Amino acid sequence: MKTDTPVTIRRSDYAPPTFLVDTVELDFDLDAASTTVRAKLALRRNPAAAADAPLHLDGDGLTLVQAKLDGVVLPPERLAFAGDGSLTIAGLLDVAVLETVVRIAPETNTSLSGLYTSGGNFYTQCEAEGFRRITFFPDRPDVMSRYTVTITADRARVPVLLSNGNPDGAGDAGEGRHRARWVDPHPKPSYLFALVAGDLVAVSDRFTTRSGRDVALNIWVRRGDEDRCGHAMDSLKRSMTWDEDIYGLEYDLDVFNIAAVSDFNMGAMENKGLNVFNTKYVLASQESATDGDWQGIETVIAHEYFHNWTGNRVTCRDWFQLSLKEGLTVFRDQEFSADMGSRAVKRIRDVRGLRAAQFPEDAGPMAHPVRPDSYIEIDNFYTPTVYQKGAEVVRLIHTRIGATAFRRGMDLYTARNDNQAVTIEDFVTAMQDASGIDLSAFYGWYDQAGTPELTASDSYDPATRRFTLTLRQQTPPTPGQPDKHPVPIPVAMGLLGPDGAPQATRLAGENAAQPGTRTLLLEGTEQSFVFEDVPAPPVPSLLRGFSAPVRLRGVTRDRLRFLAVHDTDPFVRWESGLQYAASVMLEMVAAQQRGEPLGFDAALAEAVANTLAAAGDDPAFAAEALSLPGEGFLADQMEIADPVAIHAVRQHLRAEIGRRCRPALRATYDALAETGPYRIDGTAIGRRALRNTCLAYLTAAGDGPLAKAQFDTATNMTDSLAALSLLADTDGAARDKALATFHARWRGDDLVLDKWFSIQAMAARPDAIAAVRALYTHPDFDLRNPNRARSLIGAFASGNPSQFHDLSGEGYRFLADAVIALDPINGSIAARLVGPLGQWRRQAAARGTLMRRELQRVLDTPNLSKGTFEKVSKALL
Ligand code: B3K
Ligand code: ZN
């Protein structure tokens, strides 16, 4: 939708719908150029609304053919259309039946919201506000209805007709057309509606729930993709079992359909009984999928499946409550993946992700609370804050009340709120009632933006054998929220003796000492905790398992080194190594800026040697421990980032560590060579990750032929791509040949071709911008396909900081050009891609000026989508 004066929607303005819709009958006559949608709505005045309030129906881009109220055609004067396409009808009785007929054009719908075509098939995407692009409806999540859907289409071209719920008959419709009917017995909001139709084939299986329901499972793909669905199906069955085992939650329909589509705005969508997935999160084979892809599929399949209870059965009252379903469901998928593999490694990866995306968001122009106060375009609020920080807040509550009470709280939450559209208060209240613990202070985490900073200081008194730990918190201001309050911060911790041995802890006032980890709760701005009977000055290990999404500041380098070696908590061991390296690297960045020699801290090489020596126990953990802090992570630690200096320092360190540790790196690399059959379990994935980390160091140290050899002989995509991405950073014939070989081998596979684009977009070579511009006009580039657009534009702007931030400003100009071209095609993706330009305040003035100029150029573009307008205008404030 285009508009000149975008309206801000405020949480405080919530008003209940004037009418409820008990049942919806939808009838689709499918045709790519012109589809007819008939809707019959059984309306009932909401007791919570005024007696004479009119009926408001959202609509966007619909051609109305006819509207009938209680069987009588409505004359034009009864229909009040607004500029945004919505329709208001006054003078309704308390109970009424509205029938509408509209026409829509799926094949020209490039926004991929509403009903659209991809490869000749039909798909829908309705969350958040896409249903209004299909028919007139109160398109808001607090209107829950029972749907019956009839689909008619050409039998030969569109043999498969799917919608939500259970199938309820199919038959001939004459003239080469056929028909199918679907009934969804569960009331649902319109954003969960789905229709998929076309020439698709199913990979099928079955699942019996623990109360004995026999469920047909189908994954619908295009012909030829059937042999790449096995992992998705296995992941689905594991998810179904896990939700029964951990939460007692069972599936509630006779079929569970998943349809995969290559043109899709995000990862996947949890429509009731008919999940629609980006092919990226369904299709995988040894040759085509990386280990990251395998893990991504498992996570996303689980996430969408878990929404069946946290999102679908219990949904959101309004979109400000989005984290009610998303934060909770991310928490659930994180726990699922932790149970399926290594809990420690999963936690490390999730924290890496949070810091890479959410921390910068919280420190930027779009900073918003987990529960935002206002938005212009809700699509812009499907963010790392709502998802990942939202999951951390659920985790805080889990930590605070414990796993048993949390499970009771979930039982209470689903029982009390089943088939209802509710708020974050309903979730917190259930957890509070189940635990008997007052959780009111936790609303601060939902309603306050910004990442709290936690600092710790301590003192030891040998005379009294007392150790005093003082914790302080402070949250920096964010746009619109200058003053911050303290939030409750659970700090999981332990004490280590001078020899590194874990100490039992006893706080003043406690009778017995506690072994292992305990959790302190910092509630105010500053609080001291006194430990008794401490025999010698200990080293505190804080924020074990990353028990709160905060920035822990000020741990000395000596202590970081000590903790990296001795702590019992794998997260703190990893974290301490990372923070140590970050502190050294930031010092080197300063040296580089002063034009001084970079030097080298031998402790880093020592740590690498130690990690390699112990790597056999847990290769996946070793791979994490060996990875230097990323460029984005380092930039986020600096008030004013210096992407070029950061890149130079990181390259220098990689080469230096590679040289100093060469024999050990090479020995590990050789020892981990794949021998047996290809496997994708945690151990096998960990071995490949560690081996490719070694390869990166060895390549940085000058061992170019090794990457080439690996590329030439790799038998799986993980190894092939790891080698290719290292080669892509080099110069010479081997690079060009490898890229050409890869393209020739994979040009028919869109998902792999995306990787080919990304690798080149992220290659930190001086000709990067020219290369990216050339790829933008490559015959295989397609701006309309979101995966492809992200693989080039997004990968460059977010994944190649030293080149994107080139002082010529050409990187910024490229991004703005692409956003301006994409916005009229797909405003949602354009708004997402423009993000990196918004971070101009964190760059030096020379760059910031250039970035703002490009933002202004985007803002000056006529007919900008609401979403892009919101991102750009807020960035310029
Ligand atoms: N709920 C969807 C996201 C919809 C995004 C709309 N712009 C996928 C998910 O979180 O599971
Ligand atoms: Zn979700």
Side-chain angles (χ1 to χ4, degrees), residues 127 268-270 303-304 307 310 322 325-327 329-330 333 382 387:
E127 187 175 1
M269 178 65 213
E270 70 265 24
H303 179 96
E304 306 310 329
H307 267 314
T310 51
L322 182 58
K325 73 178 178 82
E326 295 306 347
T329 305
V330 171
D333 84 50
Y382 287 76
Y387 276 63

Side-chain angles (χ1 to χ4, degrees), residues 466-484:
R466 278 199 184 121
F467 176 71
T468 306
L469 176 68
T470 302
L471 300 174
R472 279 179 214 89
Q473 64 169 303
Q474 184 250 327
T475 303
T478 54
Q481 281 190 341
D483 303 314
K484 303 288 184 179

Side-chain angles (χ1 to χ4, degrees), residues 20 25 32 51 117 158 174 176 182 237 274 289 369 447 484 490 492 498 549 554 584 675 689 746 748 832-833:
L20 303 173
E25 287 171 44
T117 58
V158 191
W182 291 83
K237 289 187 287 184
L274 176 52
D447 293 331
K484 303 288 184 179
V584 170
T675 45
W746 293 109
R832 269 188 186 260
L833 291 177

Side-chain angles (χ1 to χ4, degrees), residues 651-726:
Q651 291 302 98
H652 169 80
L653 268 191
R654 272 158 43 116
E656 198 61 35
I657 291 172
R659 273 192 288 276
R660 292 182 188 228
C661 302
R662 195 176 209 140
L665 287 162
R666 186 58 201 248
T668 305
Y669 180 82
D670 290 338
L672 292 171
E674 199 102 32
T675 45
Y678 178 76
R679 290 181 305 134
I680 51 164
D681 54 69
T683 311
I685 289 176
R687 289 168 61 99
R688 284 190 286 273
L690 178 57
R691 187 165 190 260
N692 286 320
T693 306
C694 294
L695 178 67
Y697 279 118
L698 290 164
T699 306
D703 198 346
L706 200 57
K708 184 186 175 311
Q710 176 165 320
F711 179 76
D712 290 340
T713 57
T715 56
N716 62 74
M717 184 52 80
T718 302
D719 292 341
S720 171
L721 211 63
L724 185 62
S725 66
L726 292 170

